[in-house]
């Protein structure tokens, strides 16, 4: 099984479908174009998402890309999910490991 998404496609799906639509950020007054690949997701200087949002993002990413992250804890989120760019790289590395 080969993974059929490019980094740009992964980033777009995470940004638009998982984060913007999935967390209903429009209702919070956040515009889609404010969510850039290097925008901090869980920091007050970024989108300021909380721990519940983090779990929803992780679940959405796993569902969208048919992957499973082994242990999702605070350390995993900080290391792999702080920005959309990091999440994109995490999805790519997990999908390659799964396809191998």
């Amino acid at each position: 099984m080969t993974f059929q998404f490019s980094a740009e496609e992964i980033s777009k799906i995470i940004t638009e479908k998982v984060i913007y639509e999935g967390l209903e950020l429009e209702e919070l007054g956040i515009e889609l174009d404010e969510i850039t690949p290097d925008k901090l997701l869980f920091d007050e200087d970024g989108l300021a998402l909380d721990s519940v949002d983090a779990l929803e993002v992780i679940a959405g990413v796993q569902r969208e890309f048919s992957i499973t992250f082994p242990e999702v804890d605070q350390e995993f989120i900080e290391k792999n999910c702080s920005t959309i760019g990091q999440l994109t790289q995490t999805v790519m590395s997990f999908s390659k490991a799964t396809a191998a």
Side-chain angles (χ1 to χ4, degrees):
M1 178 178 158
T2 57
F3 196 64
Q4 70 253 18
F5 299 102
S6 69
E8 286 116 22
E9 290 170 321
I10 293 169
S11 181
K12 183 175 180 172
I13 292 168
I14 292 171
T15 302
E16 294 177 10
K17 198 167 185 183
V18 175
I19 294 177
Y20 191 71
E21 293 172 12
L23 298 178
E24 300 175 345
L25 296 184
E26 184 176 24
E27 293 180 12
L28 300 175
I30 297 171
E31 297 293 325
L32 181 59
D33 61 2
E34 292 177 54
I35 308 170
T36 59
D38 59 349
K39 181 96 161 182
L40 293 171
L41 300 178
F42 308 106
D43 192 271
E44 291 301 319
D45 293 331
L47 293 178
L49 302 179
D50 63 20
S51 58
V52 173
D53 295 328
L55 294 177
E56 287 186 40
V57 168
I58 297 294
V61 166
Q62 291 181 119
R63 186 174 47 253
E64 285 299 319
F65 300 104
S66 300
I67 57 176
T68 303
F69 300 130
E71 253 188 79
V72 177
D73 56 15
Q74 186 67 31
E75 182 181 346
F76 177 86
I77 291 169
E78 288 172 6
K79 186 177 178 191
N80 300 290
C81 309
S82 294
T83 66
I84 291 169
Q86 273 188 336
L87 259 172
T88 299
Q89 292 303 313
T90 301
V91 168
M92 292 181 72
S93 65
F94 271 85
S95 62
K96 286 177 187 166
T98 305

